[in-house]
Amino acid sequence: MRPPREEGLEAPQRQPLAWQMPEFYDQDALHSEMARVFDICASCRRCVNLCNAFPTLFDLIDASEAMDVDGVTTDDYEKVVDQCYLCDLCHVTKCPYVAPHSWAVDFPQLMLRAKAVHFKQHGASRRDKWLTATDEVGRLAGIPIIAQTINGITQTPSLRKQMEKHLGIAQEAWLPPFDDQTLRKRLKTRPLMGGDRIESTSRTHGKVAVFATCYGNQHEPRIVQDLVAILDHNHIPWTLTETERCCGMPKLELGDLQSVVEAKEFNIPILSRLVDEGWDLLAVVPSCVLLFKQQLPSMFPNDSAVAKVSQAFFDPFEYLSLRHREAKLKLDFTRALGKIVYHVSCHQRVQFNGVKARELLSLIPNTELEVVERCSGHNGTYAVKVENYSHAVKIAQPVVNVIKAAMPDHYGSDCPLAGHHLAGILDDSTVPRHPLTLLRMAYGIF
């Protein structure tokens, strides 16, 4: 028999989220589990530099009279929960006590449970409801003149001060502008390309349905246009999903699980039908891909449609890499890109795909990549909240330092929000470029 190990060496395993069980919302049971896990974390501290949740926890413990978890009040547990943005990196890359270890620590799922209990008991603030209501705000911004009005407000310093004072949105934080020419408007009359040249591989069907995401449709349609231009260039037929709602990740991070369920019930039937028709699924925002690939299967482990969609969903560079592996990707690059600092977003890292953007961008002649695998500090809505903004800047600083030292020709992240957050801290008038934009540039297909 193999001797027991103090720390687990096996690959992390995750149990389904038991959110439909009444015990899930039992506050005493929740606090008991938090005390157990916090005690384990306090004796390890390997995750201290990942985010601000762990320093917050360790400071509370160290400031207590007994310097252990027993000295921390359950009211203070919320301070730790508020600092967790569910990136999953502690579970995947740092914690030695995750299942199959007998201690079975799952810090992100525990924080999600605490957020869900809090939301069920107290709801959410007006600000947090607004920040996560991407569909509702997007529909409002779709009304002529409204988008320009909202953009004008969010880009006016004096009004941003008022937003900070009355709404709690940090005046320094970057807010994505609304584009009155949404992706769906831009692509409304665009025909599919290469529909008679479907070439499958061992892992891909060779035709792609793009889940535009609320961000890609309303805020940066250019990135999705970059993706479809790359698909066109490689003769990969594509289409947009006929309609969609926000994937639900912002509501998940709020602990509003019922809204996640409602988004799932809207999106999954549409995506499931596309999979049945032989389409592979892509989205340009890593958080949305993660939601469909991992979070929904964790919440609905017995839902066959969710499992089907999960299996068919790909990160864009994962998909292109799979095509390249079987000689189905063009390498006719016409433009060198020089030096690139490429930030790998946390929600991309925990998909276990490897750094596929690095693999493909490295194929471009006379192009040098410096890869940064650290948190950008943006993390959904975390960085735009006034109480978190200084922490978000501190977390991002190592990434910013790499960019400053490298003096690259380009920098950017899989996560568009992370890229803009880094640019805001740099504050040097440079503009981040999404890796898909860089790949399109290298192809010279503008």
Side-chain angles (χ1 to χ4, degrees):
M1 175 181 285
R2 189 169 56 185
R5 299 188 181 99
E6 180 183 353
E7 299 180 359
L9 297 178
E10 310 296 332
Q13 295 178 2
R14 171 153 280 170
Q15 300 301 312
L17 189 71
W19 65 282
Q20 292 173 303
M21 303 294 289
E23 296 80 12
F24 186 82
Y25 298 96
D26 185 311
Q27 186 154 289
D28 289 339
L30 169 65
H31 285 163
S32 176
E33 176 64 2
M34 292 174 81
R36 184 186 78 88
V37 169
F38 287 176
D39 188 47
I40 295 170
C41 294
S43 64
C44 172
R45 307 199 179 202
R46 188 174 295 183
C47 47
V48 66
N49 67 342
L50 285 180
C51 63
N52 199 45
F54 296 105
T56 299
L57 171 62
F58 302 148
D59 286 348
L60 287 169
I61 291 171
D62 294 344
S64 69
E65 187 173 346
M67 296 185 69
D68 65 20
V69 174
D70 289 343
V72 180
T73 68
T74 53
D75 287 344
D76 280 343
Y77 286 5
E78 290 292 327
K79 296 177 181 176
V80 181
V81 177
D82 289 343
Q83 294 300 316
C84 176
Y85 30 76
L86 307 178
C87 72
D88 270 5
L89 275 185
C90 58
H91 183 82
V92 172
T93 69
K94 291 286 187 179
C95 183
Y97 304 120
V98 299
H101 191 282
S102 60
W103 292 354
V105 171
D106 193 327
F107 192 88
Q109 279 204 353
L110 182 60
M111 295 299 100
L112 176 56
R113 179 183 175 188
K115 289 172 187 287
V117 170
H118 180 89
F119 185 86
K120 192 162 189 166
Q121 294 178 348
H122 306 289
S125 67
R126 178 179 56 165
R127 176 199 62 185
D128 291 354
K129 289 179 181 175
W130 181 75
L131 287 174
T132 58
T134 55
D135 287 326
E136 292 81 357
V137 176
R139 279 194 291 273
L140 177 66
I143 300 173
I145 303 178
I146 297 293
Q148 294 89 334
T149 302
I150 294 176
N151 293 341
I153 292 172
T154 58
Q155 294 168 17
T156 302
S158 60
L159 296 177
R160 288 299 301 269
K161 287 183 180 178
Q162 294 302 312
M163 289 178 68
E164 178 173 295
K165 180 179 179 181
H166 297 290
L167 294 176
I169 296 174
Q171 57 181 303
E172 305 94 337
W174 182 83
L175 293 177
F178 287 92
D179 197 317
D180 55 3
Q181 288 299 305
T182 65
L183 178 76
R184 292 191 177 277
K185 289 180 180 176
R186 293 179 183 214
L187 299 181
K188 193 172 183 179
T189 59
R190 179 101 180 254
L192 302 186
M193 300 293 288
D196 58 345
R197 290 186 54 183
I198 299 173
E199 295 183 281
S200 62
T201 68
S202 58
R203 283 280 288 119
T204 67
H205 289 91
K207 61 176 188 176
V208 166
V210 178
F211 185 81
T213 75
C214 44
Y215 187 86
N217 186 43
Q218 300 162 2
H219 299 293
E220 280 199 85
R222 175 184 51 80
I223 298 173
V224 186
Q225 288 182 289
D226 293 336
L227 171 61
V228 299
I230 294 166
L231 296 174
D232 282 343
H233 188 67
N234 285 283
H235 299 292
I236 300 173
W238 59 269
T239 188
L240 290 181
T241 58
E242 62 190 42
T243 184
E244 66 195 345
R245 286 179 56 175
C246 170
C247 66
M249 185 61 94
K251 295 296 185 182
L252 183 81
E253 293 172 349
L254 196 59
D256 180 2
L257 300 185
Q258 183 54 42
S259 291
V260 178
V261 172
E262 292 169 6
K264 171 257 182 186
E265 291 177 347
F266 185 91
N267 288 321
I268 290 295
I270 296 169
L271 297 171
S272 176
R273 179 175 53 76
L274 287 165
V275 176
D276 289 339
E277 294 171 356
W279 296 92
D280 302 316
L281 306 173
L282 300 185
V284 299
V285 179
S287 301
C288 306
V289 178
L290 183 70
L291 190 285
F292 288 111
K293 290 182 76 168
Q294 295 183 19
Q295 299 289 12
L296 288 184
S298 177
M299 289 181 65
F300 303 94
N302 300 315
D303 190 317
S304 59
V306 168
K308 186 196 317 178
V309 169
S310 170
Q311 289 297 315
F313 231 111
F314 296 88
D315 169 85
F317 277 95
E318 174 193 16
Y319 193 80
L320 297 172
S321 177
L322 289 169
R323 305 287 296 177
H324 170 61
R325 200 174 292 174
E326 299 191 35
K328 301 293 184 186
L329 190 74
K330 288 187 175 183
L331 302 179
D332 54 343
F333 302 114
T334 62
R335 176 178 170 182
L337 298 179
K339 189 167 188 176
I340 301 170
V341 172
Y342 162 59
H343 167 258
V344 192
S345 74
C346 299
H347 279 176
Q348 199 278 334
R349 292 176 65 189
V350 298
Q351 291 178 35
F352 307 109
N353 300 330
V355 189
K356 300 305 182 188
R358 174 177 61 185
E359 287 182 23
L360 293 189
L361 294 176
S362 296
L363 298 172
I364 302 166
N366 299 316
T367 299
E368 176 188 354
L369 259 81
E370 183 161 353
V371 177
V372 188
E373 295 185 86
R374 294 196 62 142
C375 180
S376 72
H378 192 281
N379 307 303
T381 60
Y382 180 83
V384 304
K385 299 176 181 178
V386 65
E387 67 272 22
N388 295 337
Y389 182 75
S390 61
H391 300 308
V393 172
K394 185 177 180 180
I395 293 168
Q397 201 59 57
V399 185
V400 171
N401 290 343
V402 171
I403 298 172
K404 285 182 176 178
M407 294 188 289
D409 297 287
H410 309 285
Y411 68 90
S413 171
D414 299 292
C415 174
L417 293 169
H420 288 290
H421 178 59
L422 296 170
I425 300 171
L426 282 165
D427 194 25
D428 58 1
S429 302
T430 56
V431 178
R433 295 191 185 278
H434 193 279
L436 287 169
T437 305
L438 294 173
L439 187 60
R440 181 179 181 175
M441 290 169 59
Y443 274 129
I445 49 175
F446 286 93

